[in-house]
Amino acid sequence: MMTLARSIALLGLGAVFGGCAAKQPPPVQHYALGMSRADYRDYTGSKASPCDAEPRWFAEELTAVNGLLARFVKETEQAEDAQAQEHPQHLALLEEGLRTLPPVLKVHENNLRALTTCGFRRTGAFPDLAQRGTALLAEAQGRMALAPRIQAAAALREAQRQWREEGPAREAKARETWCPKPSQVGQPDLYFARQSPEGHTEWLFCDGHVVEKTGDAEPALLSPEGLTKAERRRVQPKKYLDAARAYPTEEMDRQPTAATLQAPAAPGSGSAAGTAN
């Protein structure tokens, strides 16, 4: 039979080991962002306190996350400057951070806050780690807050680039869709209209005529080269000008803007046709 003394001793050991188990730190979490890596522990999420952790380990965790945030801030500073040499890489890292970094920022914020209650907060590297961590946290959060605006600007630039590059294809498709075969000189079949970002507008007709307008000037009819005298006699400028004026403004081919990217495209945009009789 177990003696009373032995039972008490075993109970005491159990309490000691149970207490040690309760003091075990939360598991290490591994995080990667771009080329940066950091290991850290989520003390608050595990209902633990870093004040009970080995100070050296906690210092290493704070150092690792501070280093990752410093690199993130440095390597996203050109994300907003489309002309910068490293803009694409910086924008890509910012977008990656937007997807994956918020939980890490929250844990780091909680850990820095918990550090202020620890007895070792004023020892070793902890004062510098706390000061640097707080500053980097604010910088990273600020950069993240800018991310949606930076992404929207990048999307707009890409849409405008595509608009410029695909302009000839849109014009050719509209001509194929709306122009009779063969087209007749003097018949103002309007198949395409476009407006440049500078405000220069062109209305294109199947017979090669173009109506042009710049700014507040009156529209003017331009005839294609090589028309015969008989063909010129069939051209009635007023019909072309009237067709241009009647062309729906909302269907004109224009460079995308922030507003148009957020709104659904108008049906038949850039390819409506009209015939004046």
Side-chain angles (χ1 to χ4, degrees), residues 159-174:
Q160 291 174 344
R161 183 193 64 78
Q162 290 185 1
W163 176 80
R164 291 190 297 271
E165 290 185 357
E166 297 171 2
R170 289 192 302 275
E171 179 184 334
K173 182 178 180 181

Side-chain angles (χ1 to χ4, degrees), residues 133-158:
T134 301
L136 286 168
L137 188 65
E139 286 188 81
Q141 289 171 334
R143 190 64 49 80
M144 297 279 282
L146 289 176
R149 190 186 77 189
I150 295 173
Q151 287 178 308
L156 178 59
R157 287 192 297 272
E158 176 61 18

Side-chain angles (χ1 to χ4, degrees), residues 41-82:
R41 300 175 199 265
D42 183 4
Y43 293 93
T44 301
S46 301
K47 298 182 179 180
S49 171
C51 302
D52 297 326
E54 166 61 44
R56 178 173 57 84
W57 294 350
F58 188 39
E60 290 175 354
E61 295 160 16
L62 294 178
T63 299
V65 178
N66 279 355
L68 181 141
L69 294 184
R71 188 166 183 176
F72 170 73
V73 169
K74 179 177 178 56
E75 295 183 357
T76 57
E77 62 187 4
Q78 294 183 359
E80 200 169 6
D81 183 2

Side-chain angles (χ1 to χ4, degrees), residues 18 20 31 42 44 49 84-85 114 124 148 157 172 195 219 224 230 253 261 269 272:
C20 291
Y31 177 69
D42 183 4
T44 301
S49 171
Q85 183 176 359
R157 287 192 297 272
Q195 187 176 72
D253 191 57
L261 283 186
S269 178

Side-chain angles (χ1 to χ4, degrees), residues 96-113:
E96 182 184 349
L98 195 64
R99 294 191 303 270
T100 66
L101 190 54
V104 180
L105 293 177
K106 185 61 178 176
V107 169
H108 199 48
E109 182 179 14
N110 290 338
N111 287 346
L112 290 171
R113 186 182 299 115

Side-chain angles (χ1 to χ4, degrees), residues 29-265:
Q29 299 191 37
H30 308 285
Y31 177 69
L33 178 61
M35 300 299 293
S36 300
R37 303 288 185 273
D39 293 343
Y40 65 94
R41 300 175 199 265
D42 183 4
Y43 293 93
T44 301
S46 301
K47 298 182 179 180
S49 171
C51 302
D52 297 326
E54 166 61 44
R56 178 173 57 84
W57 294 350
F58 188 39
E60 290 175 354
E61 295 160 16
L62 294 178
T63 299
V65 178
N66 279 355
L68 181 141
L69 294 184
R71 188 166 183 176
F72 170 73
V73 169
K74 179 177 178 56
E75 295 183 357
T76 57
E77 62 187 4
Q78 294 183 359
E80 200 169 6
D81 183 2
Q83 306 304 317
Q85 183 176 359
E86 298 185 14
H87 168 73
Q89 301 93 311
H90 285 213
L91 178 61
L93 184 63
L94 181 60
E95 291 175 335
E96 182 184 349
L98 195 64
R99 294 191 303 270
T100 66
L101 190 54
V104 180
L105 293 177
K106 185 61 178 176
V107 169
H108 199 48
E109 182 179 14
N110 290 338
N111 287 346
L112 290 171
R113 186 182 299 115
L115 173 61
T116 63
T117 67
C118 297
F120 52 73
R121 64 185 181 277
R122 294 189 179 90
T123 65
F126 284 108
D128 289 339
L129 287 172
Q131 182 178 8
R132 178 169 167 75
T134 301
L136 286 168
L137 188 65
E139 286 188 81
Q141 289 171 334
R143 190 64 49 80
M144 297 279 282
L146 289 176
R149 190 186 77 189
I150 295 173
Q151 287 178 308
L156 178 59
R157 287 192 297 272
E158 176 61 18
Q160 291 174 344
R161 183 193 64 78
Q162 290 185 1
W163 176 80
R164 291 190 297 271
E165 290 185 357
E166 297 171 2
R170 289 192 302 275
E171 179 184 334
K173 182 178 180 181
R175 186 180 186 90
E176 179 68 22
T177 301
W178 298 107
C179 287
K181 298 179 179 61
S183 60
Q184 298 180 12
V185 174
Q187 182 63 37
D189 296 312
L190 198 167
Y191 71 93
F192 194 73
R194 59 173 165 241
Q195 187 176 72
S196 72
E198 296 74 32
H200 180 73
T201 307
E202 294 179 326
W203 293 264
L204 310 183
F205 293 83
C206 298
D207 64 356
H209 281 82
V210 177
V211 171
E212 289 189 340
K213 182 178 186 297
T214 300
D216 297 329
E218 288 297 317
L221 177 65
L222 304 180
S223 295
E225 295 181 0
L227 295 183
T228 65
K229 290 183 179 180
E231 288 174 331
R232 290 183 182 279
R233 286 195 295 269
R234 292 201 296 267
V235 175
Q236 300 180 42
K238 185 176 184 303
K239 288 188 175 182
Y240 291 86
L241 296 172
D242 288 345
R245 292 188 182 100
Y247 192 90
T249 303
E250 66 274 10
E251 293 181 359
M252 199 166 286
D253 191 57
R254 289 191 178 104
Q255 177 175 275
T257 65
T260 58
L261 283 186
Q262 295 173 1

